[in-house]
Amino acid sequence: MAAAATAAGAASAELVIGWCIFGLLLLAILAFCWIYVRKYQSQRESEVVSTITAIFSLAIALITSALLPVDIFLVSYMKNQNGTFKDWANANVSRQIEDTVLYGYYTLYSVILFCVFLWIPFVYFYYEEKDDDDTSKCTQIKTALKYTLGFAVICALLLLIGSLICKLKLFITDISKLFLKGRYAFVPLNVPNNKNSTEWEKVKFLFEELGSSHGLAALSFSISSLTLIGMLAAITYTAYGMSALPLNLIKGTRSAAYERLENTEDIEEVEQHIQSIKSKSKDGRPLPARDKRTLKQLEERLRTLRKRERRLEFIENSCWTKFCGALRPLKIIWGIFFILVALLFVISLFLSNLDKALHSAGINSGFIIFGTNLSNPLNMLLPLLQRVFPLDYILITIIIMYFIFTSMAGIRNIGIWFFWIRLYKIRRGRTRPQALLFLCMILLLIVLHTSYMIYSLAPQYVMYGSQNYLIESNITYDDHKGNSTLSVPKRCDADAPEDQCTVTRTYLFLHKFWFFSAAYYFGNWAFLGVFLIGLIVSCCKGKKSVIEGVEEDDSDLSDDEPSAYSI
């Protein structure tokens, strides 16, 4: 009794440590999301509901990512470095810890599905209808519910497909186990060990397993589908942002005074063209249709140039511009640091993908690796940092935030497009509510994909943390010409015994379906390719304007808004 109470107390202490760090991260995440959303939302068109939706959806994605190091910490802390389980880590306690993390993932992933398929679409379409002055609130709600219903149907289909696929896979696999005595690594099933059990009891147990596991599979399939979309967003925005952000910091922006001089010359040139066209009608003759169209275009161009003139004048005389100029050396240092971090990620991702290409079990297994053959820097660094708590927490947080900032840089440079149609621009202090919801939706999907990206960078760390297990090693003594058996610790990998190494719940969600893992593998190669293309493009591009662009199609801008410019 006393030993059991001591074990339970030790287990509770470990849980408290892990969840306390998670709670602190939760508060930091909420503060970050509030500042981040408020920074980009339009002050002229800000809406309370869209702001709360954007903050909550981005926060829930970051909180889900923060659960990854908690998961890894808990499974790692159940074992000693010599490969033995700690005294308190019996089967019941281990199952309790695993279930706690699993329920956490169930809750957070369910909330993400609610946000993606119900809440965000409803708020988005509600504000789309609000742009029409003639519509009433009742009409807005009805229209928003009508479009949201389509997203709800998609969510239900994903859950149903995931459940059916898992049931079919389990049925085929376990029938093979019963009749062909096959061994499968990806669908573990605890078939009853009772030798006296009949074939009917085994089949009955099979169907009980089918009924108990479909919930995890359905949720995993839905989240994996969203993660696949997040992979496409990461390839489009994050890969480009990883090169654009550091190089923009290093190159800086153009001089406000020089831009203002160029803008003044453009204004004079446009005014001369306008006067030249108007002079044709001084004698009362009407202008040809071609000249009228040209005149209208020139007058629109003149309005844009004068708007730029006002903004450039404000920026040139701003104290903030002088302060940013003083920080120029610091920006260059940050730019060099970011490009080095990007190269570290790219090298680690390349080595990890190359290892999968050379030594994995193939496409039908989702390119799973049995052991590490080609080590990469991050896969070696993270298990070492885990020994000094909470250094691995800090590094994981840095990686996630780095992906957030580089994704944001990519979105700001590219904008939000639907094929060849630009939907929205993302501007500091001037982002419309609909664009803000789109932005947070994209970031939510990218953050979902970040968990798999971290797995790609450090597969052994994400699967087992710093766990070791004992293997029997034969030692030969030359003097006595005899052999002895010695148990030596070995790092846990995919080939380790199931009862000796505990797999993280994150890994179970990521690799429930092999075809998603295969898609992620090929997506990583695409990510590397887009990064190299973005690096070349960013190197060839000149310095950015001191203002983020005031173009003819900037319909969401107004003259009375404060100027926005890059920092």
Side-chain angles (χ1 to χ4, degrees), residues 116-389:
V116 171
F117 290 104
L118 294 175
W119 191 1
I120 294 178
F122 175 80
V123 176
Y124 175 83
F125 290 115
Y126 175 82
Y127 284 107
E128 277 291 296
E129 290 297 314
K130 193 175 181 180
D131 289 342
D132 299 332
D133 298 331
D134 298 334
T135 57
S136 62
K137 282 189 177 295
C138 185
T139 305
Q140 294 171 23
I141 294 174
K142 287 181 179 179
T143 305
L145 286 174
K146 180 178 66 176
Y147 289 116
T148 305
L149 182 61
F151 285 87
V153 170
I154 294 174
C155 181
L157 287 175
L158 290 176
L159 292 171
L160 180 62
I161 292 171
S163 178
L164 292 176
I165 290 177
C166 187
K167 285 185 177 183
L168 180 62
K169 183 172 69 171
L170 280 171
F171 183 80
I172 294 173
T173 302
D174 295 329
I175 288 296
S176 300
K177 282 185 177 182
L178 288 173
F179 297 104
L180 300 178
K181 308 298 182 183
R183 179 180 179 272
Y184 291 82
F186 295 99
V187 189
L189 181 64
N190 298 321
V191 178
N193 295 323
N194 186 3
K195 295 181 179 179
N196 296 324
S197 60
T198 63
E199 290 298 316
W200 166 248
E201 290 175 342
K202 292 181 179 180
V203 173
K204 182 180 178 182
F205 179 81
L206 165 64
F207 282 99
E208 289 176 354
E209 282 288 306
L210 290 176
S212 63
S213 60
H214 73 280
L216 173 63
L219 187 59
S220 176
F221 185 86
S222 301
I223 293 298
S224 296
S225 301
L226 294 181
T227 305
L228 194 63
I229 301 174
M231 180 192 74
L232 299 177
I235 293 171
T236 305
Y237 296 113
T238 311
Y240 177 71
M242 284 175 63
S243 60
L245 176 62
L247 289 178
N248 285 340
L249 288 172
I250 293 172
K251 290 188 293 187
T253 58
R254 301 175 64 191
S255 168
Y258 182 74
E259 278 201 72
R260 189 180 176 192
L261 179 62
E262 284 186 338
N263 193 74
T264 302
E265 293 175 355
D266 291 340
I267 289 175
E268 292 176 354
E269 183 179 353
V270 171
E271 287 177 340
Q272 288 176 3
H273 285 157
I274 290 175
Q275 290 298 325
S276 174
I277 293 175
K278 287 183 176 180
S279 64
K280 297 179 181 180
S281 60
K282 283 185 177 179
D283 56 357
R285 289 181 302 174
L287 287 173
R290 180 180 178 182
D291 286 341
K292 288 182 179 179
R293 288 195 300 268
T294 304
L295 182 61
K296 185 177 180 180
Q297 293 173 358
L298 289 174
E299 288 175 344
E300 186 66 30
R301 174 67 175 160
L302 183 62
R303 281 194 293 270
T304 301
L305 290 173
R306 284 174 176 167
K307 186 185 295 186
R308 286 175 57 90
E309 176 72 17
R310 289 191 292 272
R311 295 182 183 277
L312 287 168
E313 182 180 3
F314 178 86
I315 292 172
E316 185 179 5
N317 299 324
S318 172
C319 296
W320 180 251
T321 305
K322 298 178 176 62
F323 177 72
C324 289
L327 295 179
R328 185 81 188 95
L330 186 61
K331 289 184 179 181
I332 295 175
I333 294 173
W334 273 110
I336 295 173
F337 171 75
F338 282 147
I339 198 65
L340 291 176
V341 172
L343 292 176
L344 173 65
F345 284 171
V346 168
I347 292 172
S348 298
L349 188 60
F350 174 76
L351 291 175
S352 177
N353 252 31
L354 185 62
D355 194 12
K356 291 179 181 179
L358 298 177
H359 306 107
S360 71
I363 188 172
N364 290 334
S365 68
F367 294 98
I368 188 172
I369 299 178
F370 294 94
T372 303
N373 301 281
L374 297 177
S375 297
N376 68 70
L378 283 174
N379 200 30
M380 294 185 294
L381 181 61
L382 281 168
L384 292 175
L385 292 180
Q386 195 180 36
R387 298 176 183 176
V388 184
F389 184 80

Side-chain angles (χ1 to χ4, degrees), residues 387-405:
R387 298 176 183 176
V388 184
F389 184 80
L391 291 182
D392 63 321
Y393 254 76
I394 296 172
L395 182 57
I396 290 291
T397 303
I398 290 173
I399 291 173
I400 294 173
M401 298 312 298
Y402 179 78
F403 277 116
I404 285 288
F405 285 121

Side-chain angles (χ1 to χ4, degrees), residues 434-477:
Q434 296 94 322
L436 195 65
L437 292 171
F438 250 108
L439 168 65
C440 289
M441 174 78 85
I442 293 173
L443 291 177
L444 184 152
L445 296 174
I446 290 175
V447 171
L448 274 181
H449 180 64
T450 301
S451 296
Y452 186 83
M453 186 66 75
I454 296 174
Y455 167 76
S456 299
L457 296 170
Q460 301 304 117
Y461 171 79
V462 173
M463 284 181 68
Y464 297 104
S466 59
Q467 293 180 83
N468 294 321
Y469 71 102
L470 295 176
I471 59 172
E472 301 295 331
S473 178
N474 293 324
I475 300 177
T476 303
Y477 298 97

